[in-house]
Amino acid sequence: MWLLTILAIAAVIGIHLWWRRKFAALSGQRAAEIEASHRRQQQTNVDAKAQQQILFNSMIEGLLLLDRTQKIYLANRAFKNLFGLKIELRGKTILEALRLHELDDLVKRVQAEGQVFDYELKLPDLSERWLRVNAAVISNSAGEREGTILVFHDLTRLKQLERTREEFVANVSHELRTPLSLIKGYVETLLDGARNNPDVAERFLKIIERNTNRLDLLIQDLLTISALESGRIKLNLQPVELRQLAGKVFTDLHARAENKNVSLINELPELTASADANRLDQVFANLVDNAIKYGRASGAVKIGGKKLEDGRLEIFVRDDGPGIPPEALDRVFERFYRVDKARSRDQGGTGLGLSIVKHIVQAHGGEVRAESETGKGATFFFTLPESKMG
Ligand code: ADP
């Protein structure tokens, strides 16, 4: 009986202990599972956060997240670059971080209206910069406001292009209107009776002819510029003998030079460039024409050149006229830029010659520059690739 009782108690204790061990093992396993899952979750969170960070920082747009108290919660790399900021922004208000009242006002507007799209913000830097801002309030599923998101897009390049286009259209209209109104005026005067005086009529008709030629030249130059800028022109590259080409351009412009008693000197050695002969003809012609136009009467225009150490060919066109002031040396290659407007127009200039030269040289992979010492003439240099076949 005792034995039975003891056996029964031992069995109960054994079962209990077995259960305890089993339970302990089970709960240990469970705990480990829970911990592992927790760790996995944490790892996933870390990965997601890292991915989020990579994503935000690889965005071209600047991104700014504000928390519900309007303090900065996140600012991505593009945002910091746009505003030139290197400091930590988290926890700061917009005014503290950027001192931009306009942006602070925009955030207030977003709070009132829920969202603001296509807001154009001009940054008060020295270099004019424009941003487009899209902003909206972020709400959770319960409709409570969690913060504000602002996305910034750099509009500066677009604005610059827009302005260049507007300036170009304004310049072209002006350039066209000047000869046109002269033609119109003289035609009206002729019709009003001036045609009855043969001398006056001849003089007026010559003015009309000169201005129609100017219009023609301007339109030709405009078409060339537009074709060069849009990349529509395909270069027909061939070996071009530069000395020979300079000689041909001198012959073409011989009469103009003679009118001013200017001597044309070809000092180019035998060099063969890989170039489009017709386009290069235009480069030489524009530079020599300018040298005659703006050089001194009874002066000299020289073309020379050499092979540079890096294998490129460098050509120059030099005159001994009044030269170009230092501040205008780079600008003369801009469309319609002239040092002396009246002088250029008097000489029939369109203000596009050097811009065409620059485009053609660049299309050949070369560079162009001007050097001048006031009173001692101007020299235009440009480079071209050497022909490997020549
Ligand atoms: P333009 O039709 O007025 O000659 P360009 O583009 O050829 O236009 O030249 C721009 C300006 O550069 C000219 O108006 C002139 O003021 C200046 N320039 C060009 N070549 C010379 C030069 N050889 N000497 C002095 N000034 C020059």
Coordinates of all heavy atoms in Angstrom, one line a residue, residues 70-130:
Q70 N 5.9 72.0 -36.5 CA 6.6 72.8 -37.6 C 8.1 72.8 -37.4 O 8.8 73.8 -37.9 CB 6.1 74.2 -37.7 CG 4.6 74.4 -37.8 CD 4.0 73.5 -38.8 OE1 4.6 73.1 -39.8 NE2 2.7 73.2 -38.6
K71 N 8.7 71.8 -36.7 CA 10.1 71.8 -36.6 C 10.6 70.8 -37.7 O 9.9 69.8 -38.0 CB 10.5 71.3 -35.2 CG 10.1 72.2 -34.1 CD 11.3 72.6 -33.3 CE 11.1 73.7 -32.4 NZ 10.3 73.4 -31.2
I72 N 11.9 71.0 -38.1 CA 12.4 70.1 -39.2 C 12.6 68.7 -38.6 O 13.3 68.5 -37.6 CB 13.7 70.7 -39.8 CG1 13.4 72.0 -40.4 CG2 14.3 69.7 -40.8 CD1 14.6 72.8 -40.9
Y73 N 12.0 67.7 -39.3 CA 12.2 66.3 -38.9 C 13.2 65.7 -39.9 O 14.0 64.9 -39.5 CB 10.8 65.6 -39.0 CG 10.9 64.1 -38.8 CD1 11.1 63.6 -37.5 CD2 10.7 63.3 -39.8 CE1 11.2 62.3 -37.3 CE2 10.8 61.9 -39.6 CZ 11.0 61.4 -38.4 OH 11.1 60.1 -38.2
L74 N 13.1 66.1 -41.2 CA 14.1 65.5 -42.1 C 14.3 66.5 -43.3 O 13.4 67.1 -43.7 CB 13.4 64.2 -42.7 CG 14.3 63.4 -43.6 CD1 14.0 61.9 -43.4 CD2 14.1 63.7 -45.1
A75 N 15.6 66.6 -43.6 CA 16.0 67.4 -44.8 C 16.9 66.6 -45.6 O 18.0 66.1 -45.1 CB 16.6 68.7 -44.4
N76 N 16.6 66.3 -46.9 CA 17.5 65.4 -47.6 C 18.7 66.1 -48.2 O 18.8 67.4 -48.0 CB 16.8 64.6 -48.7 CG 16.4 65.5 -49.9 OD1 16.5 66.7 -49.8 ND2 16.0 64.9 -51.0
R77 N 19.6 65.4 -48.9 CA 20.9 66.0 -49.3 C 20.6 67.1 -50.3 O 21.2 68.2 -50.3 CB 21.8 64.9 -49.9 CG 23.2 65.3 -50.1 CD 24.0 64.2 -50.6 NE 24.1 63.1 -49.6 CZ 24.4 61.8 -49.9 NH1 24.6 61.5 -51.1 NH2 24.5 61.0 -48.9
A78 N 19.7 66.8 -51.3 CA 19.4 67.8 -52.3 C 18.9 69.1 -51.7 O 19.3 70.2 -52.1 CB 18.4 67.3 -53.3
F79 N 18.1 69.0 -50.6 CA 17.6 70.2 -50.0 C 18.8 71.0 -49.4 O 18.9 72.3 -49.6 CB 16.6 69.9 -48.9 CG 16.1 71.1 -48.1 CD1 15.1 71.8 -48.5 CD2 16.8 71.5 -46.9 CE1 14.6 72.9 -47.8 CE2 16.4 72.6 -46.2 CZ 15.3 73.3 -46.7
K80 N 19.7 70.3 -48.7 CA 20.8 71.0 -48.1 C 21.7 71.7 -49.2 O 22.2 72.8 -49.0 CB 21.7 70.0 -47.3 CG 20.9 69.6 -46.0 CD 21.9 68.8 -45.2 CE 21.2 68.5 -43.8 NZ 22.1 67.6 -43.0
N81 N 21.9 71.0 -50.3 CA 22.7 71.5 -51.4 C 22.0 72.8 -52.0 O 22.7 73.8 -52.3 CB 22.9 70.5 -52.5 CG 23.8 69.4 -52.1 OD1 24.5 69.6 -51.1 ND2 23.8 68.3 -52.8
L82 N 20.7 72.7 -52.2 CA 20.0 73.8 -52.8 C 20.2 75.1 -52.0 O 20.3 76.2 -52.5 CB 18.5 73.5 -52.9 CG 18.0 72.7 -54.0 CD1 16.5 72.4 -53.9 CD2 18.2 73.4 -55.4
F83 N 20.2 74.9 -50.6 CA 20.3 76.0 -49.7 C 21.7 76.3 -49.2 O 21.9 77.1 -48.4 CB 19.3 75.9 -48.6 CG 17.8 76.1 -49.0 CD1 17.1 75.0 -49.5 CD2 17.3 77.3 -48.9 CE1 15.8 75.2 -49.9 CE2 16.0 77.5 -49.4 CZ 15.2 76.5 -49.9
G84 N 22.6 75.4 -49.7 CA 24.0 75.6 -49.3 C 24.2 75.4 -47.8 O 24.9 76.1 -47.1
L85 N 23.5 74.4 -47.2 CA 23.6 74.2 -45.7 C 24.4 72.9 -45.4 O 24.2 71.9 -46.1 CB 22.2 74.0 -45.2 CG 21.2 75.2 -45.3 CD1 19.8 74.8 -45.1 CD2 21.6 76.3 -44.3
K86 N 25.2 73.0 -44.3 CA 26.0 71.9 -44.0 C 25.6 71.4 -42.5 O 25.9 70.3 -42.1 CB 27.5 72.2 -44.0 CG 28.0 72.4 -45.4 CD 29.4 71.9 -45.7 CE 29.8 71.8 -47.1 NZ 29.7 73.1 -47.9
I87 N 24.9 72.3 -41.8 CA 24.6 72.0 -40.4 C 23.5 71.0 -40.3 O 22.7 70.8 -41.2 CB 24.3 73.3 -39.7 CG1 23.2 74.1 -40.5 CG2 25.5 74.1 -39.4 CD1 22.5 75.1 -39.7
E88 N 23.3 70.4 -39.0 CA 22.2 69.5 -38.7 C 21.0 70.4 -38.6 O 21.0 71.4 -37.9 CB 22.5 68.8 -37.4 CG 21.4 67.9 -36.9 CD 21.0 66.8 -37.9 OE1 21.9 66.1 -38.4 OE2 19.8 66.6 -38.1
L89 N 19.9 70.0 -39.3 CA 18.7 70.8 -39.3 C 17.6 70.3 -38.4 O 16.7 71.0 -38.1 CB 18.2 70.9 -40.7 CG 19.1 71.5 -41.8 CD1 18.5 71.5 -43.1 CD2 19.5 73.0 -41.4
R90 N 17.7 69.0 -38.0 CA 16.7 68.4 -37.3 C 16.3 69.2 -36.0 O 17.2 69.6 -35.3 CB 17.1 67.0 -36.9 CG 15.9 66.1 -36.7 CD 16.4 64.7 -36.4 NE 15.2 64.0 -35.9 CZ 14.9 62.8 -36.3 NH1 15.6 62.2 -37.2 NH2 13.8 62.2 -35.9
G91 N 15.1 69.4 -35.8 CA 14.6 70.1 -34.5 C 14.6 71.6 -34.7 O 14.1 72.3 -33.8
K92 N 15.1 72.1 -35.8 CA 15.1 73.6 -36.0 C 13.8 74.0 -36.7 O 13.2 73.3 -37.5 CB 16.3 74.0 -36.8 CG 17.6 73.9 -36.1 CD 18.7 74.7 -36.9 CE 19.9 75.0 -36.1 NZ 20.8 73.8 -35.9
T93 N 13.4 75.3 -36.5 CA 12.3 75.8 -37.3 C 12.9 76.3 -38.6 O 14.1 76.5 -38.7 CB 11.6 77.0 -36.6 OG1 12.6 78.1 -36.5 CG2 11.1 76.6 -35.2
I94 N 12.0 76.6 -39.6 CA 12.4 77.1 -40.9 C 13.2 78.4 -40.7 O 14.2 78.6 -41.3 CB 11.2 77.3 -41.8 CG1 10.7 75.9 -42.1 CG2 11.5 78.2 -43.0 CD1 10.2 75.7 -43.5
L95 N 12.7 79.3 -39.8 CA 13.3 80.6 -39.7 C 14.7 80.4 -39.1 O 15.7 81.1 -39.5 CB 12.5 81.5 -38.8 CG 11.4 82.2 -39.6 CD1 10.6 83.2 -38.6 CD2 11.9 82.9 -40.8
E96 N 14.8 79.5 -38.1 CA 16.2 79.2 -37.5 C 17.1 78.7 -38.5 O 18.3 79.1 -38.6 CB 16.0 78.2 -36.3 CG 15.5 78.9 -35.0 CD 15.0 77.8 -34.1 OE1 15.0 76.6 -34.4 OE2 14.6 78.2 -33.0
A97 N 16.6 77.7 -39.3 CA 17.5 77.0 -40.2 C 17.9 77.9 -41.5 O 19.0 77.9 -41.9 CB 16.9 75.7 -40.7
L98 N 16.9 78.6 -42.0 CA 17.1 79.3 -43.3 C 16.9 80.8 -43.3 O 17.3 81.4 -44.3 CB 16.1 78.7 -44.3 CG 16.0 77.2 -44.5 CD1 14.8 76.8 -45.2 CD2 17.2 76.8 -45.3
R99 N 16.3 81.3 -42.3 CA 16.0 82.8 -42.2 C 15.3 83.2 -43.4 O 15.5 84.3 -43.9 CB 17.3 83.6 -42.0 CG 18.1 83.3 -40.8 CD 19.4 84.1 -40.8 NE 20.4 83.4 -40.0 CZ 20.4 83.3 -38.7 NH1 19.4 83.9 -38.0 NH2 21.3 82.6 -38.0
L100 N 14.4 82.4 -43.9 CA 13.6 82.8 -45.1 C 12.1 83.0 -44.7 O 11.4 82.1 -44.5 CB 13.7 81.6 -46.1 CG 14.6 81.8 -47.3 CD1 14.4 80.6 -48.2 CD2 14.3 83.1 -48.0
H101 N 11.8 84.3 -44.6 CA 10.4 84.6 -44.1 C 9.4 84.1 -45.1 O 8.3 83.7 -44.8 CB 10.3 86.1 -43.9 CG 10.9 86.5 -42.6 ND1 10.3 86.4 -41.4 CD2 12.2 86.9 -42.3 CE1 11.2 86.8 -40.4 NE2 12.3 87.1 -41.0
E102 N 9.8 84.2 -46.4 CA 8.8 83.8 -47.5 C 8.4 82.3 -47.4 O 7.3 82.0 -47.5 CB 9.4 84.1 -48.9 CG 8.4 84.0 -50.0 CD 9.0 84.4 -51.3 OE1 10.1 84.8 -51.4 OE2 8.3 84.1 -52.3
L103 N 9.4 81.5 -47.0 CA 9.2 80.1 -46.9 C 8.4 79.8 -45.6 O 7.5 78.9 -45.6 CB 10.5 79.3 -46.9 CG 10.4 77.8 -47.1 CD1 9.7 77.5 -48.4 CD2 11.8 77.1 -47.0
D104 N 8.7 80.5 -44.6 CA 7.9 80.4 -43.3 C 6.4 80.7 -43.6 O 5.5 80.0 -43.2 CB 8.5 81.3 -42.3 CG 8.0 81.1 -40.9 OD1 8.0 79.9 -40.5 OD2 7.5 82.0 -40.3
D105 N 6.2 81.8 -44.4 CA 4.8 82.2 -44.7 C 4.2 81.2 -45.6 O 3.0 80.9 -45.4 CB 4.8 83.6 -45.5 CG 5.3 84.7 -44.6 OD1 5.3 84.6 -43.4 OD2 5.6 85.8 -45.2
L106 N 4.9 80.5 -46.4 CA 4.4 79.5 -47.3 C 3.9 78.3 -46.4 O 2.8 77.8 -46.6 CB 5.4 79.0 -48.3 CG 5.0 77.9 -49.2 CD1 3.9 78.3 -50.1 CD2 6.1 77.3 -50.0
V107 N 4.7 77.9 -45.4 CA 4.3 76.8 -44.5 C 3.0 77.2 -43.8 O 2.1 76.3 -43.7 CB 5.4 76.5 -43.5 CG1 5.0 75.5 -42.5 CG2 6.6 75.9 -44.3
K108 N 2.9 78.4 -43.4 CA 1.6 78.9 -42.7 C 0.5 78.7 -43.7 O -0.6 78.3 -43.3 CB 1.8 80.3 -42.3 CG 2.7 80.4 -41.1 CD 2.7 81.8 -40.4 CE 3.7 81.9 -39.3 NZ 4.7 83.0 -39.6
R109 N 0.7 79.1 -45.0 CA -0.4 79.0 -46.0 C -0.8 77.5 -46.2 O -1.9 77.2 -46.3 CB 0.1 79.6 -47.3 CG -0.9 80.3 -48.0 CD -0.4 80.8 -49.4 NE -1.0 80.1 -50.4 CZ -0.6 80.1 -51.7 NH1 0.4 80.9 -52.0 NH2 -1.2 79.4 -52.6
V110 N 0.2 76.6 -46.2 CA 0.0 75.2 -46.3 C -0.9 74.7 -45.2 O -1.8 73.9 -45.3 CB 1.3 74.4 -46.4 CG1 1.0 72.9 -46.6 CG2 2.1 74.9 -47.6
Q111 N -0.6 75.2 -43.9 CA -1.4 74.8 -42.8 C -2.9 75.2 -43.0 O -3.8 74.5 -42.6 CB -0.9 75.5 -41.5 CG 0.5 75.1 -41.1 CD 0.8 73.6 -41.2 OE1 0.0 72.9 -40.5 NE2 1.7 73.2 -41.9
A112 N -3.1 76.4 -43.5 CA -4.4 76.9 -43.7 C -5.1 76.3 -44.9 O -6.3 75.9 -44.8 CB -4.3 78.5 -43.9
E113 N -4.4 76.0 -45.9 CA -5.1 75.5 -47.2 C -4.9 74.0 -47.4 O -5.6 73.5 -48.3 CB -4.5 76.3 -48.4 CG -4.8 77.8 -48.3 CD -4.2 78.5 -49.5 OE1 -3.8 77.9 -50.5 OE2 -4.0 79.8 -49.3
G114 N -4.1 73.4 -46.6 CA -3.9 71.9 -46.8 C -2.8 71.6 -47.8 O -2.0 70.7 -47.6
Q115 N -2.7 72.3 -48.8 CA -1.7 72.1 -49.9 C -1.4 73.4 -50.7 O -2.4 74.2 -50.9 CB -2.0 70.9 -50.7 CG -3.3 71.1 -51.5 CD -3.8 69.9 -52.2 OE1 -3.5 68.8 -51.7 NE2 -4.4 70.0 -53.3
V116 N -0.2 73.5 -51.2 CA 0.1 74.6 -52.1 C 1.0 74.0 -53.2 O 2.0 73.4 -52.9 CB 0.8 75.8 -51.4 CG1 1.3 76.8 -52.4 CG2 -0.1 76.4 -50.4
F117 N 0.6 74.2 -54.5 CA 1.4 73.6 -55.6 C 2.0 74.7 -56.4 O 1.4 75.8 -56.5 CB 0.5 72.7 -56.5 CG 0.2 71.4 -55.8 CD1 -1.1 70.8 -56.0 CD2 1.0 70.8 -54.9 CE1 -1.4 69.6 -55.4 CE2 0.7 69.6 -54.2 CZ -0.5 69.0 -54.5
D118 N 3.1 74.4 -57.0 CA 3.8 75.3 -58.0 C 4.1 76.7 -57.5 O 3.9 77.7 -58.2 CB 2.9 75.4 -59.3 CG 2.9 74.1 -60.1 OD1 3.9 73.3 -59.9 OD2 2.0 73.9 -60.9
Y119 N 4.5 76.8 -56.3 CA 4.9 78.1 -55.7 C 6.3 78.4 -56.1 O 7.2 77.6 -56.0 CB 4.8 78.0 -54.2 CG 5.1 79.4 -53.5 CD1 4.0 80.3 -53.3 CD2 6.4 79.7 -53.1 CE1 4.3 81.5 -52.7 CE2 6.6 80.9 -52.5 CZ 5.6 81.8 -52.3 OH 5.9 83.0 -51.8
E120 N 6.5 79.6 -56.7 CA 7.9 79.9 -57.2 C 8.6 80.8 -56.2 O 8.1 81.9 -55.8 CB 7.8 80.6 -58.6 CG 7.5 79.6 -59.6 CD 7.6 80.2 -61.0 OE1 8.1 81.3 -61.2 OE2 7.3 79.4 -62.0
L121 N 9.7 80.3 -55.7 CA 10.4 81.0 -54.7 C 11.8 81.5 -55.2 O 12.5 80.7 -55.8 CB 10.7 80.0 -53.5 CG 11.5 80.4 -52.3 CD1 10.6 81.3 -51.5 CD2 11.9 79.2 -51.5
K122 N 12.0 82.8 -55.1 CA 13.3 83.3 -55.5 C 14.2 83.5 -54.3 O 13.9 84.1 -53.4 CB 13.1 84.7 -56.2 CG 14.3 85.3 -56.8 CD 13.9 86.5 -57.7 CE 15.2 87.1 -58.1 NZ 15.5 88.4 -57.5
L123 N 15.4 82.8 -54.4 CA 16.3 82.8 -53.3 C 17.1 84.2 -53.3 O 17.5 84.6 -54.3 CB 17.3 81.7 -53.4 CG 16.7 80.3 -53.2 CD1 17.7 79.2 -53.2 CD2 15.8 80.2 -52.0
P124 N 17.2 84.8 -52.1 CA 17.9 86.1 -52.1 C 19.4 86.0 -52.1 O 20.1 86.6 -51.3 CB 17.3 86.7 -50.8 CG 17.0 85.5 -49.9 CD 16.7 84.3 -50.8
D125 N 19.9 85.1 -53.0 CA 21.4 85.0 -53.1 C 21.9 86.1 -54.0 O 21.2 86.8 -54.7 CB 21.9 83.7 -53.7 CG 21.2 82.5 -53.3 OD1 20.3 82.6 -52.5 OD2 21.5 81.5 -53.9
L126 N 23.2 86.1 -54.1 CA 23.8 87.0 -55.1 C 23.6 86.5 -56.5 O 23.1 87.2 -57.4 CB 25.3 87.1 -54.9 CG 25.8 88.0 -53.7 CD1 27.2 88.0 -53.5 CD2 25.2 89.4 -53.8
S127 N 23.8 85.2 -56.7 CA 23.5 84.6 -58.0 C 22.0 84.3 -58.0 O 21.5 83.6 -57.1 CB 24.3 83.3 -58.2 OG 24.1 82.5 -57.1
E128 N 21.3 84.8 -59.0 CA 19.8 84.6 -59.0 C 19.4 83.2 -59.1 O 19.8 82.5 -60.1 CB 19.3 85.4 -60.2 CG 17.9 85.9 -59.9 CD 17.5 86.9 -61.0 OE1 17.1 86.5 -62.0 OE2 17.6 88.1 -60.7
R129 N 18.7 82.7 -58.1 CA 18.2 81.3 -58.2 C 16.7 81.2 -57.9 O 16.2 81.9 -57.0 CB 19.0 80.4 -57.2 CG 20.4 80.2 -57.8 CD 21.1 79.0 -57.2 NE 21.1 79.1 -55.7 CZ 20.8 78.1 -54.9 NH1 20.5 76.9 -55.4 NH2 20.9 78.2 -53.6
W130 N 16.1 80.2 -58.6 CA 14.6 80.1 -58.5 C 14.3 78.6 -58.1 O 14.9 77.7 -58.7 CB 14.0 80.4 -59.8 CG 13.9 81.8 -60.2 CD1 14.9 82.5 -60.8 CD2 12.9 82.7 -59.9 NE1 14.5 83.8 -61.0 CE2 13.2 84.0 -60.4 CE3 11.6 82.6 -59.2 CZ2 12.5 85.1 -60.3 CZ3 10.8 83.7 -59.1 CH2 11.2 85.0 -59.7

